[in-house]
């Protein structure tokens, strides 16, 4: 909050000269983090093209109506915890395209062999990335990996991370923050995840330099800031968290409309 206030107090508005006021964001991927506690009818209003839903859960047992709603999104991931019972595994059949959102656990390889099928798996890593974690990640064969380092990263950890999955992202923490002019962003490199306040405070590009930097923005983010982000990096992806707050759902709906959805 303080970083955002300082940045905004300086009236940075980092729009390149001649940038249009109209937001052109029809091709921008938007990640929405929402709770299973939202009513399916409320959740459904966010189902738009290029919107990925990340559904947080209290258990592996979801309502049938919620599972059915997942199919309305272009892509979705459901937060799961081991063990995955037979009943819950079968219930996931109501959302055959929904991905599985998990953390490392030795019980997952067997469960995924039974219930994964053709689903994508999103794996969240946290802390030091040692050989044991890297081996488990390899066994899970995730579609995408998100890593939150707990401190400075050494060369061996970075090498293990690069082998973890084809699609990789790093949550940029203060220990990892490195301003860098990336130039061309590459598809096969890891991308960064950070809050828009951090990006404003740095006032530069950040490492790593993969395409699709994911920027966390508030649901009621100012339109000039959206235009600035898209003008500076057309590959940027937006992330908004609504939790179980219906008012935030309304704000995100207006955000999607501003992007032309």
């Amino acid at each position: 909050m303080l970083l955002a206030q300082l940045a905004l107090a300086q009236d940075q508005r980092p729009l390149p000269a001649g940038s249009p006021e109209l937001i052109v964001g029809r091709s921008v991927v938007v990640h929405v983090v929402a709770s299973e506690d939202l009513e399916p009818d409320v959740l459904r209003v966010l189902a738009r093209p290029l919107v990925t839903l990340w559904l947080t859960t209290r258990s592996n047992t979801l309502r049938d109506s919620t599972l059915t709603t997942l199919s309305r999104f272009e892509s979705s991931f459901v937060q799961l915890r081991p063990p995955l019972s037979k009943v819950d595994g079968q219930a996931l059949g109501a959302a055959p395209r929904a991905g599985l959102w998990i953390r490392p656990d030795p019980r997952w390889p067997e469960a995924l062999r039974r219930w994964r099928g053709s689903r994508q798996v999103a794996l969240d890593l946290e802390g030091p990335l040692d050989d044991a974690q890297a081996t488990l990640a390899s066994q899970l064969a995730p579609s995408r990996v998100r890593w939150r380092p707990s401190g400075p990263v050494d060369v061996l950890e970075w090498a293990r991370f690069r082998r973890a999955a084809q699609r990789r992202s790093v949550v940029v923490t203060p220990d990892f923050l490195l301003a860098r002019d990336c130039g061309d962003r590459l598809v096969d490199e890891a991308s960064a995840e950070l809050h828009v306040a951090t990006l404003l405070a740095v006032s530069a590009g950040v490492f790593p330099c993969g395409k699709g930097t994911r920027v966390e923005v508030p649901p009621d983010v100012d339109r000039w800031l959206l235009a600035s982000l898209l003008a500076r990096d057309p590959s940027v992806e937006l992330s908004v968290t609504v939790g179980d707050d219906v008012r935030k759902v309304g704000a995100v709906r207006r955000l999607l409309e501003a992007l032309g959805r």
Side-chain angles (χ1 to χ4, degrees):
M1 289 289 291
L2 178 60
L3 287 175
Q5 290 170 1
L6 288 174
L8 293 175
Q10 297 172 18
D11 194 24
Q12 292 191 14
R13 296 178 68 110
L15 283 168
S19 295
E21 289 295 327
L22 178 66
I23 300 174
V24 182
R26 294 180 184 272
S27 63
V28 177
V29 173
V30 180
H31 301 270
V32 177
V33 183
S35 169
E36 66 164 317
D37 292 329
L38 284 175
E39 289 297 324
D41 288 345
V42 175
L43 196 59
R44 195 173 297 127
V45 304
L46 301 179
R48 310 289 177 91
L50 294 179
V51 173
T52 297
L53 174 67
W54 297 83
L55 189 71
T56 61
T57 62
R58 288 174 280 100
S59 71
N60 294 338
T61 304
L62 298 176
R63 291 176 290 181
D64 291 341
S65 54
T66 298
L67 287 168
T68 302
T69 299
L70 297 180
S71 300
R72 293 177 172 268
F73 286 83
E74 182 149 324
S75 60
S76 62
F77 289 87
V78 180
Q79 185 181 51
L80 297 175
R81 304 162 187 79
L84 184 62
S85 70
K86 180 178 180 180
V87 172
D88 291 334
Q90 290 175 337
L92 287 171
R97 295 191 300 109
L100 311 180
W101 179 17
I102 63 175
R103 291 181 178 274
D105 189 286
R107 293 170 289 181
W108 272 127
E110 181 178 353
L112 291 184
R113 279 194 294 270
R114 186 174 185 183
W115 301 116
R116 177 177 186 171
S118 60
R119 299 175 189 271
Q120 294 190 62
V121 170
L123 179 65
D124 275 1
L125 299 174
E126 189 166 355
L129 188 52
D130 56 20
D131 284 330
Q133 277 220 79
T135 299
L136 179 57
S138 177
Q139 293 173 349
L140 297 174
S143 311
R144 58 178 76 191
V145 169
R146 180 175 181 262
W147 181 28
R148 184 188 294 271
S150 56
V153 176
D154 62 36
V155 175
L156 286 178
E157 283 183 296
W158 189 252
R160 296 183 190 109
F161 174 60
R162 292 194 67 181
R163 295 193 296 267
Q166 183 175 7
R167 191 164 184 183
R168 309 174 302 278
S169 62
V170 179
V171 179
V172 176
T173 60
D175 288 329
F176 194 83
L177 186 60
L178 177 62
R180 176 176 172 181
D181 182 9
C182 290
D184 292 335
R185 294 185 175 272
L186 305 177
V187 177
D188 57 348
E189 289 295 334
S191 56
E193 292 190 28
L194 71 169
H195 196 276
V196 67
T198 304
L199 195 60
L200 282 173
V202 174
S203 192
V206 293
F207 178 86
C209 295
K211 280 185 176 293
T213 298
R214 189 184 299 186
V215 181
E216 173 78 23
V217 298
D220 56 353
V221 60
D222 288 333
R223 299 301 181 254
W224 69 263
L225 186 50
L226 287 181
S228 171
L229 291 172
L230 298 179
R232 287 179 171 271
D233 179 7
S235 77
V236 74
E237 300 181 1
L238 304 177
S239 178
V240 288
T241 299
V242 300
D244 60 358
D245 192 331
V246 176
R247 292 171 299 178
K248 290 183 178 180
V249 172
V252 173
R253 182 179 184 176
R254 293 188 291 273
L255 167 62
L256 295 174
E257 291 170 352
L259 293 172
R261 308 295 169 83

